[in-house]
């Protein structure tokens, strides 16, 4: 766990938050004469591609059946069966499937057999569209890179503006929703959205920051409780010199320095959770178990950060309340 924490500190170094957290924990421990070894919080890892893959439904038409649909599908039939059609990128395949889905209702039949064939093709292509949506959102190289745990750290300045990749992921899901509702989605629109995702810093840096904040806030809360459980800081409701120094540390090194960053991280992590939850609904059937586990782990990390923030606030309320003082500014974690 200690090794994992050191790795997390190194990974978040460029954000400037890691050093501030370590310094804050050291100062609290120094004032209270208590030391706690932080227990690292896990950072979810995006599942390997092989466990995320979903097969497309199989649709094979005889030459006669294909000919009967050529009037409404035109060259779309040949496009899919070409050499390039066999290796379409997720964005290309989704755009293609939206064009097919939009063209099929215009097909005309003059027999019961023709109607049955058209109904079969429309059902299979509806499933293909949903699978294409899934692969675009979860298996595009740009999305994989964005969600990779190995992504570069994110600077607080970028988080303060809003992580561009989350906005791009939202936009990608928006295009997918439009395609699933029957709109033809041009590939160039998807490519532009994926390009914005490619240019964004990865969510992995945000997740590491969230995990590090969770770890450090819980460590500080544990130190405070350990000291108060062993012996009080104040024997009566008025501050002692130790309490006064502790309160100064709280305001100067947490409320004024770290708490604003915590608010930003929590906001951006909440945005990521919402974007991924929206993305989860593009596939009509169950997602692969490993991917569901990853999405659950992201939500759990978000909940853990909220819980750690609350535990941290409650620990300080216990300490300062014992001394007739309460945090009067900055420590508004529950509303962050």
């Amino acid at each position: 766990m200690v090794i994992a924490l050191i790795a997390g500190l190194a990974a978040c170094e460029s954000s400037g938050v890691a050093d501030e957290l370590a310094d804050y924990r050291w100062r609290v421990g120094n004032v209270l004469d208590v030391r706690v070894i932080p227990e690292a919080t896990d950072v979810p890892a995006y599942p390997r591609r092989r466990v995320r893959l979903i097969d497309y439904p199989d649709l094979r038409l005889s030459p006669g059946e294909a000919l009967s649909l050529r009037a409404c599908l035109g060259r779309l039939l040949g496009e899919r069966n070409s050499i390039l059609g066999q290796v379409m990128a997720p964005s290309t395949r989704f755009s293609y499937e939206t064009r097919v889905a939009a063209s099929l209702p215009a097909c005309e039949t003059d027999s019961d057999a023709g109607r049955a064939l058209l109904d079969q093709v429309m059902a299979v292509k509806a499933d293909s569209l949903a699978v294409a949506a899934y692969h675009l959102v979860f298996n595009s190289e740009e999305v994989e890179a964005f969600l990779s745990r190995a992504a570069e750290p994110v600077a607080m300045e970028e988080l303060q503006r809003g992580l561009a990749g989350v906005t791009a992921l939202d936009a990608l899901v928006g295009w997918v929703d439009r395609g699933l509702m029957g709109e033809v989605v041009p590939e160039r629109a998807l490519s532009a959205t994926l390009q914005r995702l490619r240019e964004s810093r990865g969510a992995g840096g945000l997740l590491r920051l969230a995990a590090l904040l969770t770890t450090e806030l819980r460590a500080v809360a544990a130190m405070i409780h350990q000291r108060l459980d062993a012996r009080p800081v104040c024997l009566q409701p008025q501050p002692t010199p130790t309490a006064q120094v502790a309160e100064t540390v709280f305001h100067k090194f947490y409320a004024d320095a770290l708490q604003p960053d915590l608010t930003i991280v929590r906001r951006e992590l909440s945005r990521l959770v919402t974007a991924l939850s929206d993305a989860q609904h593009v596939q009509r059937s169950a997602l692969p178990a490993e991917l569901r586990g990853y999405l659950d782990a992201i939500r759990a990390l978000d909940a853990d950060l909220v819980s750690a923030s609350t535990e941290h606030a409650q620990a300080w309320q216990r300490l300062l309340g014992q001394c007739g003082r309460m945090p009067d500014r900055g420590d508004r974690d529950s509303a962050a």
Side-chain angles (χ1 to χ4, degrees), residues 191-207:
S191 298
T193 305
L194 290 171
Q195 178 63 31
R196 293 198 298 274
L197 193 63
R198 185 184 301 114
E199 293 170 352
S200 170
R201 295 283 186 142
L206 170 63
L207 298 179

Side-chain angles (χ1 to χ4, degrees), residues 39-78:
E39 295 188 8
T41 301
D42 290 335
V43 178
Y46 199 52
R48 295 180 181 276
R49 172 180 281 261
R50 59 180 173 80
V51 302
R52 287 184 279 112
L53 293 178
I54 293 179
D55 292 332
Y56 281 93
D58 191 29
L59 176 63
R60 298 185 182 277
L61 301 176
S62 69
E65 290 172 334
L67 184 61
S68 69
L69 296 174
R70 183 169 293 279
C72 56
L73 293 183
R75 61 182 183 181
L76 285 172
L77 289 172

Side-chain angles (χ1 to χ4, degrees), residues 104-121:
L104 281 172
C107 292
E108 297 181 356
T109 60
D110 55 7
S111 66
D112 291 342
R115 183 71 248 178
L117 172 64
L118 182 57
D119 289 343
Q120 177 193 1
V121 171

